[in-house]
């Protein structure tokens, strides 16, 4: 019994002042009528105080993450326009992740504190927690078996945000869903494909991610030339075309380095395939590839280098007037 309960019992049971004496039932239950509500009030106030302190700590951590992200040094290899766009997009994604994770942590802390406070209040009232916890454990086990996929989705969503696998505006390949990310949630990811369809993918079902939007990208152009072409001349034409594109004011901020000719990629039935590559800003590789393809076509035409076309040999089988030596090949198709 607390000191408050002992003092109250002493006052009520005092024999010196009969006017202050209370009925016997009030003397017997004074500890319950005064002490239990007081302890419940202290538990509620303590839980509220802990929740306020926890939310303040989470908010401070989120603000520190945002502040540290804004103070990170930026890369100097990109042009100012591309750098500004990438910086604003990265800051937006960082803020989104921090706010979402902070909200989730705040909700978890609130639920944990509320459950603990409720258990302490029930203990003060006199309700046995053993059977209650056992029943809750059985119910929780049943719910866990039924909602394990939902739990997996939420855990995967948390990891996606913490690890920054992708964010809104990124171009990703999630298997069947390929396109631009429009929304990243704890349970679902929404991707808009090239045809305008909106894909809803559960985070727990995402096994691998290809992100074409982080840090940098690479434009790859395979050029096929005829077998009788001079490869050294082809290499020079491709390299000069790439350097001219790099020096163009409209593209100098997009290309992060000089284009490079990697050499002969393959020997196809119709010609020699030569590969030209260049590192670009994220999401710019497709536009650069299209522009390079147009410029390379014009440059090869100006240099007199033939781009091959399918070549086939057609064999003509004769009847009674067939040559004694057998069938003869005709002129190759396309010539």
């Amino acid at each position: 019994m607390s000191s408050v309960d002992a003092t109250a019992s002493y006052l009520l049971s005092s024999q010196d002042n009969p006017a202050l004496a209370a009925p016997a039932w009030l003397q017997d239950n004074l500890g319950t009528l005064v002490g239990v509500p007081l302890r419940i009030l202290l538990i509620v106030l303590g839980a509220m105080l802990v929740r306020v302190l926890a939310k303040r700590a989470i908010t401070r951590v989120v603000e520190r993450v945002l502040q540290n992200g804004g103070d990170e040094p930026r890369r100097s290899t990109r042009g100012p326009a591309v750098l500004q766009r990438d910086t604003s997009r990265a800051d937006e994604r960082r803020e989104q992740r921090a706010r979402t994770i902070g909200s989730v942590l705040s909700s978890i802390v609130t639920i944990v504190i509320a459950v603990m406070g409720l258990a302490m209040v029930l203990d003060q009232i006199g309700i046995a927690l053993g059977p209650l916890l056992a029943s809750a454990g059985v119910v929780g086990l049943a719910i866990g078996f039924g909602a394990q996929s939902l739990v997996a989705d939420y855990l995967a969503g948390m990891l996606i945000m913490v690890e920054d696998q992708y964010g809104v505006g990124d171009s990703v390949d999630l298997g069947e869903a390929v396109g631009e990310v429009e929304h990243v949630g704890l349970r679902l990811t929404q991707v808009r494909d090239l045809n305008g369809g909106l894909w809803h993918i559960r985070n727990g079902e995402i096994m691998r991610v290809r992100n074409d939007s982080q840090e940098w990208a690479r434009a790859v152009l395979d050029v096929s030339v005829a077998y009788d072409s001079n490869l050294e001349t082809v290499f020079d034409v491709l390299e000069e075309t790439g350097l001219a594109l790099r020096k163009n004011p409209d593209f100098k901020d997009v290309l992060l380095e000089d284009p490079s000719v990697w050499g002969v990629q393959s020997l196809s039935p119709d010609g020699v395939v030569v590969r030209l590559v260049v590192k670009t800003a994220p999401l710019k590789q497709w536009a650069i590839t299209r522009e390079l393809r147009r410029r390379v076509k014009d440059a090869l035409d100006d240099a007199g280098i033939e781009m091959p076309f399918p070549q086939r040999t057609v064999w003509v089988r004769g009847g009674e007037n067939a040559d004694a030596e057998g069938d003869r090949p005709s002129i190759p198709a396309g010539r």
Side-chain angles (χ1 to χ4, degrees):
M1 181 180 295
S2 63
S3 59
V4 175
D5 299 338
T7 304
S9 299
Y10 174 77
L11 291 175
L12 291 175
S13 61
S14 175
Q15 301 298 328
D16 299 334
N17 193 353
L20 296 178
W25 68 268
L26 183 60
Q27 297 181 23
D28 296 337
N29 297 280
L30 183 62
T32 302
L33 296 176
V34 177
V36 172
L38 181 61
R39 286 192 290 269
I40 292 176
L41 179 61
L42 292 177
I43 291 173
V44 173
L45 293 178
M48 294 177 61
L49 179 61
V50 172
R51 180 176 178 273
V52 170
L53 295 177
K55 292 192 65 174
R56 183 174 298 179
I58 293 173
T59 303
R60 186 172 301 175
V61 170
V62 171
E63 292 177 352
R64 183 172 300 178
V65 170
L66 295 176
Q67 183 178 1
N68 293 339
D71 295 339
E72 290 179 356
R74 307 299 182 184
R75 296 179 180 270
S76 59
T77 56
R78 304 181 183 180
V82 177
L83 178 61
Q84 184 177 2
R85 288 195 298 269
D86 291 347
T87 300
S88 60
R89 192 163 64 91
D91 292 342
E92 182 180 357
R93 286 179 52 181
R94 185 182 299 106
E95 181 177 359
Q96 180 191 17
R97 293 200 324 273
R99 300 297 183 192
T100 303
I101 295 174
S103 176
V104 172
L105 292 178
S106 178
S107 300
I108 293 175
V109 168
T110 300
I111 293 174
V112 171
I113 294 176
V115 170
M116 294 180 61
L118 180 61
M120 297 175 66
V121 169
L122 292 177
D123 181 63
Q124 292 298 321
I125 296 176
I127 299 177
L129 297 179
L132 184 62
L133 292 177
S135 303
V138 173
V139 174
L141 186 62
I143 295 177
F145 277 114
Q148 55 183 344
S149 60
L150 185 63
V151 175
D153 293 340
Y154 276 93
L155 291 178
M158 281 289 297
L159 292 177
I160 288 172
M161 291 184 180
V162 171
E163 297 173 357
D164 192 21
Q165 298 179 15
Y166 54 82
V168 175
D170 284 356
S171 179
V172 298
D173 181 353
L174 304 181
E176 294 187 17
V178 180
E180 181 179 348
V181 178
E182 289 198 351
H183 175 73
V184 180
L186 290 177
R187 192 177 72 89
L188 291 176
T189 294
Q190 297 178 355
V191 177
R192 181 81 61 177
D193 63 16
L194 183 62
N195 298 321
L198 185 62
W199 290 72
H200 299 264
I201 308 101
R202 289 171 41 202
N203 293 328
E205 294 182 345
I206 299 176
M207 298 292 103
R208 71 352 175 234
V209 179
R210 191 191 75 187
N211 194 330
D212 295 323
S213 310
Q214 290 184 342
E215 296 298 329
W216 57 272
R218 176 175 283 133
V220 179
L221 178 63
D222 288 336
V223 181
S224 182
V225 297
Y227 272 98
D228 56 359
S229 302
N230 189 323
L231 291 182
E232 294 299 330
T233 303
V234 174
F235 294 164
D236 294 339
V237 171
L238 294 180
E239 186 174 358
E240 291 173 1
T241 304
L243 292 176
L245 182 64
R246 177 82 190 278
K247 296 177 182 178
N248 191 307
D250 296 334
F251 297 96
K252 66 178 182 178
D253 292 340
V254 180
L255 274 64
L256 306 184
E257 61 182 20
D258 292 339
S260 174
V261 179
W262 281 5
V264 177
Q265 180 66 18
S266 65
L267 301 175
S268 68
D270 302 318
V272 181
V273 179
V274 181
R275 174 160 291 184
L276 173 66
V277 299
V278 60
K279 186 181 291 187
T280 70
L283 301 180
K284 300 298 182 180
Q285 61 269 33
W286 301 291
I288 294 299
T289 302
R290 289 190 289 268
E291 181 65 21
L292 274 176
R293 190 177 291 114
R294 183 185 69 83
R295 290 172 176 255
V296 165
K297 168 63 170 59
D298 296 338
L300 291 178
D301 290 342
D302 295 339
I305 299 175
E306 181 182 1
M307 301 187 70
F309 49 86
Q311 303 182 34
R312 300 292 183 268
T313 301
V314 179
W315 292 79
V316 180
R317 296 185 178 275
E320 298 178 354
N321 299 328
D323 190 272
E325 296 181 357
D327 300 331
R328 293 182 179 179
S330 67
I331 299 175
R335 292 289 186 179

